[in-house]
Amino acid sequence: MNTTAEKNNIIRDLEREILSLQGLVKRSGTHPLDIGLGSIENAFPNQTFPVAAMHEFISYSREEAAATNGFIGGLLGKLMHHGGACLWIGNKRTIFPAGLKNFGIDPERIIFIDLIKPKDILWTVEEALKCSALAAVVGELTELNFKESRRLQLAVEQSRVTGLLHRYNPLVENTVACVSRWKIQPMVSEAADGMPGVGWPRWNVQLQKIRNGKPGSWQVEWTSEGFSVKSRPLMRFEKFELLQTG
Amino acid sequence: MQKRFAAIWFRYLLTDRYTIREPALRDKPFVLASPERGRMIVRAANMRAEKKGIVTGMVVADARAVLPTLQVMDEVSGMSDKLLSALAKWSIRYTPVVAVDPPDGLILDVSGCAHLWGGEEAYIKDILTRLKKAGYEVHAAIADTAGTAWAISRYGEKGGIVEPGRQAEALFSLPPAALRLEQPVLQRLDKLGLTNIRSFMNMPRQALRRRFGQQLLTRLDQALGVEIEPIEPVIPIEPFQERLPLFDPVRTATGIEIAIQKLLEALCVRLVKEGKGLRVAVLKCFRVDGKLEQVQISTNRPTRNSIHLFKLFELKIASIEPDLGIELFVMEAPVIEDVSPEQEKLWNMSGSYNNVAVAELLDAIAGKIGAQGIRRYLPDEHYLPERSVRLAASLEEEPAIAWRTDLPRPIHLLSKPEPIQVTVPIPDYPPMNFEYKGKLHKVSKADGPERIEQEWWLQAGLYRDYYCVEDEDGSRYWLFRSGSYDKHEPKWFVHGFFA
């Protein structure tokens, strides 16, 4: 008779095997990237932020878009930590480069590409994701169908570039081949020691989907030291809720 | 390398041009005339008029006396030059070096070109048939020197080709005029009974110089190849150029791809040999119907990677219209820069934001979508937010000053501040609430003001007092008031969003 501990061990081994079959291998010799998300990282497979994958961010208002770009900026700061350039591809550039410096990015290392047609944006994102010399690619798209997202995912698997797709005001939240779906909403900030004035940016970070991970929701503050997670996951999405979002 | 020249002579250049325009003139004698000292002088006569004895330089009144039905048209000045240079450009398909030989000829440097047409005979035949088909009366000759080719094309019995090194024999029986001499020299030679070149070719040089001047000797030497005669090409030679003439015109994309690959490989081999890289490359496709299709690519860095260059051209192939087919491809590299191998190594280091792979990616994007959409930003020494960043001039440019982080700056900045309605305690407080896009936002937290003055040496206007405010939902905005309440009725704007 196997004890519970032995059973758990077997299950953990099997899980790891499944992850490696899905391409989420821990690369030997390279240190896992510390994305600085603290306890949120427990939600990811292998407890590491999946690089070489596509992440989807959805926002519906200008305020949410700004918060989402702030969060993306925080991630980029870490992704670009070891050098490398970043391409920020969109159709209407609203990002203020001087504002990115606060998120630990050297704004001159980001190359902005402003295009008009969604088709061109998609083409450029795909080409950029094929270029392994880049640290990350941010694509601002509105609509993305499953087939298009599969192409991007395939490109990413080859080049191991991290792709961050920011979808502003999409018509439907359709299924795409991204490893995760995030929603970032601004939250009321708190200045230190109850002082008056606006405090550090604070967001309600919802990880609505994560392949092989555990979705959740957190309060995250961006401080001068980086992300600081304020609370334990507020709620775990239960099984029926997962079915709803999927 | 053995030099070979071809001379093309347009017997009736100007009148042929008129006949091409108006085929009805073909069977009529006509002349082109222009006034000189109060008389109309014949400048060009067509074949039919010449048969009747009307020659260039005659007075029109005399010509009319000879032939009352003669048509006289006004000569357009400078037309022969225009025509010749157009014809010279057309002849680029035969050789890259074409010179205009006024008033009515062209000189082609055909060294190493004729074999592509299957020998000099086929080459010259091709030129002649094409020009004749176009309506010109032409004579052409090929020889070792431009002088001999010129002489044979004008005075040779049956034109044609002078074997290498046999200029002297070819010139023997020709009149002295074949040496391109001036009229007084010709008259003196004629007076002395020297009616062909053979009769004075072997005379002592000193005697010739004393009697006829240096020009005769120079021309003779140039014709014989003793002295080199420089010719001035209409299009200066592109130092980096590859040509690919085809026997069968190409019409398919695959064919064009193969042609581009071949040309690029040859070009890149040469670039590597000379330690250079190209910044701009132009592909010219000469179509069967005489049209020219042209595509151009440019790169961010000097490059000689044929695979990368091919990728850039690949994006453009769709814009080439082969129509009936393309018979000649020419690849040119008009902008060339030095590349040092150390540089290449540096770029290939991973982690650098300006490495080769990124530059190549940007080239591809610029080729497909246009370079105007690709931007990098650097800090600039201005306080106004819209001026505090500027576009980087190049991929390599580094910031001259540090980015400022001491003042709050939003992550989103509106390109144009949007007006808002506010409720605000005066004079210097942040608003209590504001209406933006039809929604009322109650301000719960605020920082500021941060006053930014207009830079009066750049633009006039009111100063701005910026506030960062947070509404009850936690959205953070960057608002400003332009001007103050004591002097003007200030307006409020939203200028950005904080994360």
Side-chain angles (χ1 to χ4, degrees), chain A residues 62-63 65-67 69-70 83-85 87 93-103 107-115 120 123-124 127-128 131 133-134 186-189 197-198 201-203, chain B residues 315 351 353 355 357-358 361-362 364-365 368-369 373-378 385 388-389 399 403 405 409-414 418 436-437 441 445-447 468 470 472-477 497-499:
Chain A
R62 287 178 167 211
E63 294 83 358
N69 277 341
L87 251 60
R93 195 183 53 77
T94 47
I95 292 285
F96 185 45
L100 285 174
K101 185 72 191 175
N102 294 324
F103 292 95
E108 75 269 8
R109 279 170 54 194
I110 295 188
I111 299 160
F112 291 96
I113 299 179
D114 305 335
L115 305 164
D120 285 343
W123 180 86
T124 313
E127 286 298 305
C131 176
L134 292 172
M187 279 183 76
V188 175
S189 66
V198 183
R202 186 179 285 193
W203 309 301
Chain B
L315 301 170
Y353 64 85
N355 70 21
V358 177
L361 169 70
L362 293 179
I365 294 172
K368 167 108 176 174
I369 283 136
I374 301 174
R375 300 186 179 116
R376 261 180 81 225
Y377 294 90
L378 297 178
S388 64
V389 293
W403 292 92
T405 50
R409 286 291 175 267
I411 190 149
H412 279 194
L413 189 79
L414 295 169
E418 291 173 9
Y436 174 57
K437 296 235 173 212
H441 300 267
K445 296 193 178 81
D447 275 336
C468 345
E470 183 180 292
E472 283 182 323
D473 301 334
S475 308
R476 287 165 279 269
Y477 302 86
F497 301 89
F498 286 96

Side-chain angles (χ1 to χ4, degrees), chain B residues 114-309:
Chain B
H115 74 275
L116 298 170
W117 274 260
E120 284 176 344
E121 254 175 43
Y123 181 74
I124 209 155
K125 206 175 149 195
D126 190 54
I127 298 178
L128 289 178
T129 43
R130 270 170 192 268
L131 285 170
K132 275 180 183 155
K133 216 183 270 173
Y136 290 103
E137 167 82 8
V138 278
H139 301 269
I142 294 183
D144 272 2
T145 61
T148 305
W150 192 95
I152 301 295
S153 67
R154 265 77 168 176
Y155 296 91
E157 298 288 83
K158 41 187 189 335
I161 292 146
V162 179
E163 295 299 312
R166 307 189 73 103
Q167 296 88 297
E169 286 100 302
L171 290 173
F172 266 151
S173 55
L174 300 184
L179 287 178
R180 296 174 287 173
L181 299 171
E182 278 165 10
Q183 207 56 37
V185 181
L186 290 178
Q187 278 169 359
R188 196 170 306 148
L189 284 167
D190 192 44
K191 206 182 270 176
L192 294 171
L194 302 169
T195 50
N196 52 28
I197 295 173
R198 189 208 309 262
S199 55
F200 61 84
M201 199 149 99
N202 296 324
M203 280 187 186
R205 291 173 69 86
Q206 271 184 332
L208 285 177
R209 185 184 294 120
R210 201 165 59 236
R211 287 180 174 78
F212 306 105
Q214 178 62 37
Q215 197 208 11
L216 176 67
L217 288 178
T218 315
R219 287 302 195 192
L220 199 58
D221 285 351
Q222 284 177 348
L224 293 175
V226 182
E227 199 173 315
I228 289 165
E229 184 185 2
I231 67 167
E232 204 181 299
V234 272
I235 295 173
I237 309 156
E238 295 279 357
F240 287 91
Q241 191 192 48
E242 290 295 330
R243 299 160 57 81
L244 183 67
L246 305 166
F247 287 114
D248 293 318
V250 156
R251 293 186 58 188
T252 58
T254 328
I256 298 175
E257 271 174 25
I258 294 167
I260 294 174
Q261 267 166 346
K262 275 195 165 182
L263 289 167
L264 282 176
E265 270 160 28
L267 197 65
C268 289
V269 164
R270 207 178 139 195
L271 287 167
V272 170
K273 213 185 280 169
E274 298 183 24
K276 297 196 186 289
L278 64 81
R279 291 289 309 274
V280 177
V282 183
L283 175 72
K284 290 179 177 165
C285 312
F286 291 82
R287 277 182 7 192
V288 174
D289 57 359
K291 292 252 170 55
L292 173 64
E293 289 281 322
Q294 195 167 332
V295 289
Q296 182 173 338
I297 54 129
S298 52
T299 62
N300 275 308
R301 294 174 180 287
T303 176
R304 53 208 185 181
N305 179 351
S306 65
I307 297 162
H308 167 54
L309 290 169

Side-chain angles (χ1 to χ4, degrees), chain A residues 12 38 64-65 77 79 81 116 134-135 138 166 178 181 189-190 196:
Chain A
R12 206 172 301 130
E64 270 181 37
L79 288 170
H81 189 66
I116 297 157
L134 292 172
V138 183
H166 183 180
C178 292
R181 172 177 289 169
S189 66
E190 273 171 36

Side-chain angles (χ1 to χ4, degrees), chain B residues 67-79:
Chain B
L67 192 69
T69 56
L70 184 71
Q71 275 195 23
V72 180
M73 278 175 271
D74 281 345
E75 191 214 8
V76 183
S77 68
M79 188 169 158

Side-chain angles (χ1 to χ4, degrees), chain A residues 98-152:
Chain A
L100 285 174
K101 185 72 191 175
N102 294 324
F103 292 95
I105 306 170
D106 295 327
E108 75 269 8
R109 279 170 54 194
I110 295 188
I111 299 160
F112 291 96
I113 299 179
D114 305 335
L115 305 164
I116 297 157
K117 287 190 231 155
K119 210 171 134 192
D120 285 343
I121 298 179
L122 206 60
W123 180 86
T124 313
V125 170
E126 192 187 331
E127 286 298 305
L129 287 175
K130 283 179 191 163
C131 176
S132 52
L134 292 172
V137 176
V138 183
E140 290 178 353
L141 287 159
T142 305
E143 301 304 332
L144 181 76
N145 64 32
F146 185 71
K147 205 197 270 175
E148 290 160 352
S149 69
R150 277 292 295 268
R151 285 183 67 102
L152 302 183

Side-chain angles (χ1 to χ4, degrees), chain A residues 159-201:
Chain A
S159 65
R160 302 197 63 79
V161 175
T162 312
L164 306 169
L165 288 185
H166 183 180
R167 298 175 68 191
Y168 176 64
N169 229 347
L171 279 176
V172 281
E173 290 183 16
N174 54 328
T175 311
V176 288
C178 292
V179 75
S180 68
R181 172 177 289 169
W182 301 77
K183 267 187 198 162
I184 320 289
Q185 281 150 346
M187 279 183 76
V188 175
S189 66
E190 273 171 36
D193 307 330
M195 297 286 277
V198 183
W200 295 110

